[in-house]
Amino acid sequence: MVDESTGTGRLCVLREALSSSRLRRVLVAYFVFNLAEWANWIALLVWAFDRDGVRGASAIALVQLVPAALLAPVAAQALTRLSPGRALWLGYVSQALTQLGLGAALLVGAPYAVVAGAAVLYSVAMTLTRPAHHTVVPELSETTSQLTASNAATGMTESAANIAGPLVSGLVVALWAPGGLVVVMGLATVGTALGVSWGLQRASGDVGAEDDGDTPPPAPAPARAGIRDVLADSSARVLIVMVAAEYVLVGMMDILLVVLALDVLDLSDAGPGVLNSALGIGGLVGAAFTFTLIGRQRLGPALLLGALAAGIAFAAAGLVSLLVPVLVLLAVSGSGKLFFDVTCRTFVQRLLPDRLLTAVFGLAEALMMGGLAVGSLAAPLLVHAVGARTTFLVAGSFLPVVALTLAVRLRRMDAACVVPTDVVDLLRSVPALSLLPERIVERMALEARTVAGAPGEALVTEGESGRHFFVIAAGTLQVSRGDDHLRTLRPGDWFGELALLRDVPRTATVTSIGPSRLWMVDREAFLASVGATSATLQAVWEHGNSRYR
Ligand code: CMP
């Protein structure tokens, strides 16, 4: 077994994760998405600036941000009805179509209302991708370490796009036109949609490929949780608040970098771009650091570190009036921000069940845009009221203060991610469950609760509706139907799967003969786990066929 706390071990994990062609396709698509996000933002700003000056540029920025922020939770709620792969595909298709529409409107010189309408449609379509991407990545990961490696790779693609985006955009706008840039990105997105859909078809072809009469019907899909379930989860709330705080800082950064470049450092018009590139290059360094998260148990301290570096270095950059130290501090801030982003996502994916992810990331997307809007509205007001330096201090201390306030909660959340190895071992000893990827068994173990059976107590009763699946840790139980004794179950045996898989009432009564101890997993977690691979579903099905009469 590789030691994942060493550089070589981490590289091995990364290589394993990237050996999946589905993951590679999804990462390429995500790179194009990030590039397109930059390109279209710049194309619209240039177009609006040429038309109506600075006012036009800020108006079109708001036209994109506000409806998208308001509609993102609605879109996320709708996405929870689809499988993550399909949601991702739908995201790319709708982006490709809306980008091509927007590009055409710009190229033919359509009236303002038409361009603005197309921009709104496009920015709402953009809100679908990030939540779907961050939900698909865990599905493609066999182990928790692979998941972390895939997140680090996602961070790398984001930071590479942050650097390439402005360059590519500048080049295409200079050679052609803003509308041309949007069309180019629309066509690239058509390519990514095709790539992702091809990967998706191959994956769905895996389930029940040959019907030889002994093939199980597909398990009922576990209900995917909605926004309300997310808000009811205190850990999800903590992480979402952190993301919102981060984006208030990002919103303020955009404005404050212009102030820093032009008013404080007295740079030319290219100054804000130079300062932004320092953030971008720092992001690449931060992304490289995220590989150290592979194999790491506790993420709370890493999250705090990212928040402190992003905020404090930014505040310090506002206090120094020399270009080189400012560039270094901004690079540190950019690296902290990216490190924070990847750690936060990984935390969410480790802590919460997969079925909650679309809704969590959807809500985070809305709050990101809300945070951006608040930050970019607050920054000019604060600069006016208290001056640039104090505004830098306020902006830079906001995220660290929020993170430090939540530090105790983060420590508790770290403890909740520690996988109970005895339960994992017990679940792995069940032949059908041993076929599941390690990450899914660990997820099941995290969600399992222990129950004690008293002598003579029925743990499930024939005819009742079923809510749980059970694995026996200690004791002996008896399965009966009516007055017939069917079987005696011992440690390592399991029961309660039929009602969940077939959506029928309990087919038998299971009674504890003496005192017993069991682990139980609720319906949603069981269906999500067993349905994760066709081999597991098949094994559970065959178990019933061979043992039950
Ligand atoms: P379920 O119907 O959900 O609840 C009762 C459980 O008893 C059922 O799932 C199976 O796990 C188990 N069961 C049903 N019939 C038999 C049988 N003939 N032999 C052993 N176990 C059984």
Side-chain angles (χ1 to χ4, degrees):
M1 224 176 121
V2 280
D3 179 359
E4 290 164 0
S5 58
T6 65
T8 331
R10 288 179 180 136
L11 248 148
C12 260
V13 175
L14 181 66
R15 212 173 302 135
E16 261 167 34
L18 291 178
S19 67
S20 149
S21 73
R22 280 189 82 201
L23 180 70
R24 290 199 304 270
R25 272 164 203 282
V26 164
L27 285 175
V28 169
Y30 192 65
F31 175 75
V32 173
F33 161 78
N34 279 282
L35 210 59
E37 197 177 31
W38 261 108
N40 299 325
W41 180 250
I42 290 176
L44 275 170
L45 288 184
V46 171
W47 169 82
F49 186 83
D50 283 350
R51 199 177 174 276
D52 301 313
V54 180
R55 263 187 194 192
S58 45
I60 201 76
L62 279 183
V63 159
Q64 289 184 81
L65 275 181
V66 176
L70 295 177
L71 288 174
V74 183
Q77 182 72 35
L79 279 190
T80 58
R81 303 215 181 92
L82 304 175
S83 74
R86 200 152 285 280
L88 188 64
W89 176 79
L90 188 76
Y92 284 126
V93 169
S94 47
Q95 264 154 54
L97 295 178
T98 51
Q99 278 179 84
L100 291 173
L102 175 62
L106 289 172
L107 281 179
V108 301
Y112 187 87
V114 174
V115 174
V120 169
L121 287 180
Y122 157 73
S123 35
V124 173
M126 287 302 265
T127 65
L128 304 177
T129 294
R130 252 182 297 263
H133 176 89
H134 298 318
T135 312
V136 161
V137 167
E139 288 209 337
L140 301 178
S141 310
E142 292 260 318
T143 63
T144 304
S145 294
Q146 276 182 20
L147 169 61
T148 313
S150 305
N151 280 337
T154 292
M156 263 302 181
T157 63
E158 279 171 334
S159 52
N162 283 346
I163 293 175
L167 295 177
V168 173
S169 311
L171 203 70
V172 180
V173 170
L175 292 176
W176 192 2
L181 174 61
V182 180
V183 168
V184 169
M185 285 301 152
L187 293 175
T189 309
V190 170
T192 63
L194 289 176
V196 168
S197 94
W198 191 78
L200 206 75
Q201 270 166 17
R202 278 210 331 177
S204 56
D206 164 48
V207 182
E210 292 160 38
D211 190 354
D212 52 8
D214 211 17
T215 309
R224 292 198 86 82
I227 305 278
R228 205 175 295 170
D229 303 288
V230 172
L231 293 176
D233 187 303
S234 63
S235 309
R237 286 200 304 266
V238 167
L239 291 167
I240 283 180
V241 165
M242 300 269 270
V243 172
E246 178 198 4
Y247 273 78
V248 171
L249 167 64
V250 176
M252 293 181 93
M253 271 179 173
D254 285 346
I255 310 280
L256 289 178
L257 286 189
V258 179
V259 176
L260 184 62
L262 304 183
D263 289 356
V264 180
L265 297 172
D266 243 348
L267 301 176
S268 69
D269 281 355
V274 173
L275 300 190
N276 258 308
S277 347
L279 278 177
I281 291 168
L284 209 56
V285 177
F289 272 119
T290 60
F291 289 101
T292 61
L293 296 175
I294 300 173
R296 192 176 293 268
Q297 268 278 343
R298 298 176 59 212
L299 294 179
L303 200 64
L304 272 181
L305 182 73
L308 294 179
I312 294 174
F314 187 74
L319 303 180
V320 184
S321 317
L322 294 166
L323 181 61
V324 175
V326 164
L327 291 177
V328 172
L329 285 166
L330 288 179
V332 173
S333 174
S335 87
K337 179 196 173 294
L338 205 120
F339 190 74
F340 177 90
D341 282 336
V342 174
T343 311
C344 194
R345 277 174 217 151
T346 311
F347 215 157
V348 169
Q349 292 159 339
R350 282 195 198 171
L351 195 64
L352 304 176
D354 290 4
R355 61 184 178 281
L356 216 68
L357 296 185
T358 311
V360 178
F361 288 118
L363 202 57
E365 184 77 16
L367 289 179
M368 271 157 71
M369 271 174 286
L372 271 182
V374 169
S376 43
L377 288 176
L381 293 179
L382 277 172
V383 171
H384 187 73
V386 293
R389 278 171 195 266
T390 314
T391 308
F392 263 92
L393 271 180
V394 173
S397 44
F398 187 59
L399 178 61
V401 167
V402 171
L404 287 171
T405 312
L406 295 171
V408 178
R409 297 296 307 277
L410 292 177
R411 192 152 16 146
R412 259 187 262 144
M413 283 153 58
D414 258 332
C417 288
V418 175
V419 179
T421 42
D422 54 333
V423 189
V424 171
D425 291 344
L426 177 69
L427 295 179
R428 279 210 164 282
S429 73
V430 174
L433 300 185
S434 68
L435 301 171
L436 284 172
E438 191 182 310
R439 196 185 73 81
I440 306 272
V441 180
E442 289 180 2
R443 190 66 268 154
M444 230 175 153
L446 278 173
E447 291 194 50
R449 278 184 296 132
T450 182
V451 270
E457 181 185 343
L459 285 134
V460 306
T461 306
E462 189 182 345
E464 285 187 351
S465 69
R467 291 291 320 147
H468 298 99
F469 166 76
F470 298 83
V471 180
I472 304 168
T476 312
L477 292 95
Q478 168 183 296
V479 185
S480 56
R481 187 171 299 133
D483 292 333
D484 295 341
H485 167 84
L486 299 176
R487 189 172 285 272
T488 303
L489 303 176
R490 300 180 201 289
D493 283 336
W494 42 279
F495 61 91
E497 80 291 3
L498 286 184
L500 310 186
L501 277 177
R502 298 185 183 171
D503 226 351
V504 294
R506 294 291 193 195
T507 58
T509 297
V510 184
T511 314
S512 190
I513 296 176
S516 59
R517 202 166 59 79
L518 306 95
W519 285 92
M520 74 181 187
V521 179
D522 77 14
R523 178 180 185 276
E524 308 304 338
F526 173 75
L527 291 178
S529 311
V530 172
T533 67
S534 52
T536 317
L537 207 54
Q538 182 83 33
V540 173
W541 182 260
E542 281 173 9
H543 172 92
N545 285 353
S546 63
R547 295 193 22 146
Y548 305 164
R549 266 164 291 277

